[in-house]
Amino acid sequence: MISIHNEPQPTEIGDVRVANRAVVLRHVRRHAPCSRADIAAHTGLNKATVSSLVGELIERRLVRETGLTENRVGRPATMLVLDGAPYAALGMQIGADELVVVAIDLAGTRLLTWRRAFAAPSSSPAETVRALAALARRAITRLTGQDRRVLGLSVGVPGLVDADGVVPRATALGWQDVALAADLRAALREPDLTVTVDTDANLAVLAEHRHGAYAGAAHLVHLTGGASVGAGIVAAGRLLRGGQGFAGEIGHLTLDPAGPACGCGRRGCLAALAGLPAVVRRLLPDTQHDGPVTDFLPEIERIRALARQDDPTVLAGLADVGCHLGHAASVLANLLNPEAVVVGGHFAALAPWLLPAARAELATRAHAPQAGGCRLDACTLGSAATALGGATAALTAVESGRLPTA
């Protein structure tokens, strides 16, 4: 008798079911409303498997039926959409002058967007953790009061983040070796939800890839604007992290060795030339008389107002910042050949005056004709893109087919 050694073991069978569950959830998210037959036809899963998986997802209120449709060949079919009403996820971001929290449900519907004025660059890590925890607790209380279960929380930081949620260095915040994920879990008293930390750029590009104008693009970059400048990179449909998770630190790429000093100790870095504090210092020099800026929104509005009035100094300064932005985009275009580089934060707010010069610089510096097809556009998701991406990331376990624990 020949012994069969490759029969599926129970754990392998379970893994296959998890993977198939993820396939079904992904199809419903992208193609809802759709029927069980649609799912089987487009995923290659057999009808019995689809029926079993959908039944399980309906029972756990991740998918729901919406009734019958008759606009199809053959018998009417019961249509399915994502549900997830009992669940929510939180994303947070640490900005130059504020903390932001966003909550979404499984379908990506925003449940809340809250902001709290907070000068993180002049605050200690411990003060920042306390402020994050207080804002998160308020959001969790609001959501649980709506009979929703919060599945996870992900925080975006303008700096390096390792796989354990430690921030080895965040120049814009003055941080070194901050165990942010562990500290935040402790501040929240070890909550019954996942708490993770990532770079603000990685989370912003996740939001862009899911909810933005280039949703679903296989090759995409999001350049953050704010306390620092970072690049979140999607390559071949996957987030590019690098060997230790430190990919995308373009803010400390030297563009002008004779340029202004950067907080990292070098000169002429992109962050020192085009980061939010640098832009405000250059275009509104009078702001320096009152000490460090702790509220950047009024300053951005002043710059926008002066630009609309065709102030020559401001227009020239914005064009110069746009050239630096285009230079950085050309480096990304030459290295990665993305479909688009999308700029957020203050770059998006000032896009009407930055992008013409940036696009011209990209076209001049890119090696491939037409910059290899790379487009340079402003983010359409608003200034909470990182927090939105954090909430999206917090749903990763469910979207990968892992059911919420009972």
Side-chain angles (χ1 to χ4, degrees):
M1 180 181 292
I2 298 175
S3 177
I4 303 298
H5 297 287
N6 61 350
E7 291 181 352
Q9 298 301 307
T11 54
E12 294 173 328
I13 294 172
D15 289 343
V16 169
R17 188 167 182 84
V18 167
N20 288 342
R21 198 184 290 131
V23 168
V24 171
L25 280 169
R26 184 164 56 248
H27 185 87
V28 175
R29 175 170 60 80
R30 293 176 176 172
H31 302 289
C34 58
S35 70
R36 291 165 176 81
D38 293 333
I39 296 170
H42 288 90
T43 65
L45 298 174
N46 66 57
K47 293 181 179 180
T49 298
V50 169
S51 181
S52 173
L53 291 169
V54 167
E56 186 177 34
L57 293 172
I58 289 174
E59 182 181 355
R60 300 301 289 272
R61 295 187 65 187
L62 296 172
V63 167
R64 62 185 173 87
E65 297 177 334
T66 62
L68 300 177
T69 180
E70 297 183 0
N71 296 324
R72 54 194 297 122
V73 177
R75 294 186 302 172
T78 302
M79 305 304 282
L80 304 165
V81 297
L82 288 179
D83 184 0
Y87 307 108
L90 293 176
M92 304 185 78
Q93 67 189 56
I94 302 173
D97 56 4
E98 66 177 358
L99 303 178
V100 183
V101 60
V102 167
I104 62 173
D105 65 13
L106 189 63
T109 303
R110 286 206 204 192
L111 306 173
L112 61 83
T113 302
W114 289 348
R115 302 173 185 274
R116 173 185 169 179
F118 186 79
S122 59
S123 302
S124 69
E127 290 170 329
T128 304
V129 168
R130 286 195 293 271
L132 285 169
L135 188 57
R137 278 194 294 268
R138 281 187 56 210
I140 291 168
T141 299
R142 169 67 64 88
L143 294 165
T144 55
Q146 299 171 351
D147 294 325
R148 293 180 184 270
R149 179 180 168 193
V150 180
L151 298 176
L153 162 64
S154 189
V155 183
V157 181
L160 301 174
V161 180
D162 71 15
D164 296 319
V166 175
V167 182
R169 190 172 191 183
T171 301
L173 304 180
W175 289 9
Q176 279 193 310
D177 298 321
V178 176
L180 183 57
D183 291 348
L184 186 54
R185 279 193 290 267
L188 292 171
R189 300 181 180 178
E190 301 299 331
D192 184 25
L193 55 94
T194 60
V195 177
T196 60
V197 176
D198 208 335
T199 71
D200 56 354
N202 282 348
L203 296 182
V205 81
L206 286 178
E208 202 72 57
H209 192 251
R210 174 68 63 86
H211 308 285
Y214 289 92
H219 302 276
L220 181 65
V221 177
H222 181 107
L223 270 181
T224 60
S228 186
V229 181
I233 303 164
V234 169
R238 295 180 177 273
L239 186 65
L240 181 66
R241 293 188 175 277
Q244 296 186 22
F246 301 154
E249 271 297 311
I250 197 170
H252 298 288
L253 174 72
T254 300
L255 299 184
D256 179 6
C262 180
C264 72
R266 302 177 182 86
R267 303 191 70 87
C269 294
L270 175 61
L273 294 165
L276 177 56
V279 170
V280 170
R281 279 196 303 270
R282 175 172 181 175
L283 299 184
L284 300 174
D286 59 301
T287 60
Q288 306 310 304
H289 302 320
D290 301 321
V293 177
T294 57
D295 184 3
F296 284 95
L297 182 59
E299 312 308 325
I300 291 297
E301 288 305 316
R302 283 180 61 197
I303 293 171
R304 287 168 58 89
L306 290 167
R308 291 191 191 101
Q309 295 164 16
D310 295 326
D311 181 284
T313 301
V314 168
L315 290 179
L318 287 171
D320 196 40
V321 172
C323 287
H324 295 310
L325 188 60
H327 187 171
S330 73
V331 172
L332 294 165
N334 288 336
L335 286 175
L336 302 169
N337 189 212
E339 297 169 47
V341 173
V342 182
V343 298
H346 68 288
F347 296 138
L350 299 172
W353 303 278
L354 295 178
L355 288 186
R359 287 167 175 157
E361 193 75 5
L362 169 62
T364 298
R365 290 182 176 272
H367 181 65
Q370 289 79 51
C374 176
R375 299 185 62 179
L376 183 57
D377 284 321
C379 175
T380 60
L381 297 175
S383 58
T386 288
L388 176 59
T392 301
L395 292 172
T396 298
V398 172
E399 293 189 337
S400 65
R402 304 285 176 184
L403 294 174
T405 57

